[in-house]
Amino acid sequence: MKELYCVIGNPIAHSLSPAMHTALLEQNKLDASYVPFLLNEASFTPAIEGLKALGVSGFNVTSPFKEAIRPFLDQLDSEAAACGAVNTVVVKEGQWIGYNTDGVGYLQGLQSIRPITENDQILVLGAGGASKAIYHALKHHTKASLTVANRTLEKAMKMVEGTEHRAMSLVEAESQIAKFTIVIQTTSAGLTKENAELPIRLHDLTAGTIVSDIIYNPAETPFLKEAKIYGAITQNGLPMFVNQAAIAFQLWTGIEADRELMRNTVLKQLGGK
Ligand code: ATR
């Protein structure tokens, strides 16, 4: 029988996950569909129970349900447990297992630029869901020194509590920017007319610093534009988006995903807008 995969979120209409996963399912000649479902607070629980009753094979969870899904899971992978958020649910022998592939997906993209070493000083801007996933992946899989800077300092302090890593304000991060070898932008600052200010300015950035932004549309955010002016090596959010999906696809099917196909599928959709 045809298998069902899906992504749940709100909003969901513009998600490029269906296009990317459909391309992979077709390439691998799997008898399966991947569809988007728009849920809200009222429909969330019945929809999740419906997915269970229908025997969904696996699904992605996006904003704002990455935490709300947790009570419905039988198990949590260590990465998802550490950051408290789930973006991928794998169904194995009837058990629902929650994973978070965002952080490792991000890290794979970063490591495609160069290996991360214990000499790296990494600054993570923001302390929301995406920041937490990235921070935990960096903490678990690298030996770099980490600093989390956030507008609301308490949230950054909570993230690094009990570790050797540091928290600071955005003002401090801006004044100390020269010492960082990698800067990761996860905030929503600078992206809309209502939120037009960059989280920090980069005029003291050391040339050659890696600066990445988790946004991939637009391909070059105002933050990356500024980073380029000061000689940064820049990366947008496309590798993270492709990699998190590739890891999810492999968890569901056991098949290694063709990341080039995924990347081209996303770029085609973006170009076709
Ligand atoms: P996500 O899940 O995408 O990471 P989120 O959880 O809503 O999104 O987090 C948004 C992040 O952007 C937060 O770190 C937020 O800072 P606060 O914790 O102080 O709210 C940050 N952010 C949003 N607008 C900002 C702005 N104008 N300047 C600086 N940081 C901003």
Side-chain angles (χ1 to χ4, degrees):
M1 201 174 66
K2 199 178 185 86
E3 288 189 79
L4 172 69
Y5 294 94
C6 64
V7 54
I8 57 168
N10 190 340
I12 203 67
H14 297 292
S15 169
L16 297 178
S17 293
M20 217 168 29
H21 282 288
T22 298
L24 289 173
L25 293 170
E26 284 174 359
Q27 184 193 44
N28 290 285
K29 299 192 169 45
L30 298 176
D31 188 19
S33 296
Y34 183 110
V35 291
F37 287 127
L38 176 69
L39 306 186
N40 57 37
E41 214 179 303
S43 64
F44 180 72
T45 297
I48 299 303
E49 283 165 355
L51 288 177
K52 213 161 231 180
L54 290 169
V56 69
S57 296
F59 60 100
N60 285 128
V61 185
T62 188
S63 183
F65 301 119
K66 288 184 177 183
E67 291 172 19
I69 193 68
R70 288 184 52 180
F72 297 89
L73 304 172
D74 300 298
Q75 283 177 55
L76 263 193
D77 147 79
S78 59
E79 216 88 37
C83 64
V86 167
N87 80 328
T88 301
V89 176
V90 175
V91 182
K92 207 172 168 189
E93 288 155 11
Q95 299 270 297
W96 279 20
I97 311 167
Y99 288 83
N100 191 311
T101 68
D102 287 330
V104 172
Y106 174 80
L107 183 57
Q108 289 178 351
L110 188 61
Q111 285 168 327
S112 72
I113 302 175
R114 68 160 170 78
I116 310 308
T117 74
E118 60 196 3
N119 297 324
D120 275 311
Q121 297 275 344
I122 303 185
L123 173 64
V124 182
L125 296 169
S131 163
K132 286 193 189 104
I134 291 169
Y135 168 78
H136 285 288
L138 291 167
K139 194 171 117 194
H140 289 153
H141 302 289
T142 80
K143 292 194 162 71
S145 299
L146 309 178
T147 300
V148 181
N150 195 45
R151 178 175 62 180
T152 312
L153 179 58
E154 294 74 32
K155 285 195 212 166
M157 287 171 69
K158 193 144 183 263
M159 276 172 66
V160 302
E161 209 170 62
T163 74
E164 71 278 25
H165 301 298
R166 299 189 56 200
M168 61 174 59
S169 66
L170 293 177
V171 174
E172 260 185 292
E174 183 171 300
S175 69
Q176 296 184 26
I177 195 71
K179 76 171 191 193
F180 293 101
T181 57
I182 298 172
V183 178
I184 305 166
Q185 199 313 97
T186 77
T187 78
S188 37
L191 281 179
T192 57
K193 278 207 184 86
E194 303 74 50
N195 200 355
E197 276 291 305
L198 296 182
I200 61 170
R201 302 310 299 262
L202 295 171
H203 34 258
D204 290 333
L205 193 77
T206 304
T209 301
I210 294 174
V211 176
S212 79
D213 198 314
I214 62 165
I215 303 291
Y216 61 87
N217 188 19
E220 191 173 74
T221 59
F223 193 75
L224 290 187
K225 211 168 265 177
E226 169 142 333
K228 264 190 187 161
I229 294 171
Y230 297 106
I233 298 162
T234 60
Q235 183 177 65
N236 70 15
L238 186 57
M240 175 183 181
F241 182 56
V242 167
N243 292 332
Q244 61 77 27
I247 301 166
F249 186 79
Q250 181 148 11
L251 284 168
W252 292 328
T253 64
I255 299 169
E256 192 171 336
D258 178 347
R259 294 175 200 224
E260 205 45 41
L261 170 74
M262 299 168 80
R263 192 170 169 274
N264 289 336
T265 303
V266 173
L267 289 174
K268 202 164 139 198
Q269 295 279 326
L270 292 174
K273 263 189 177 176

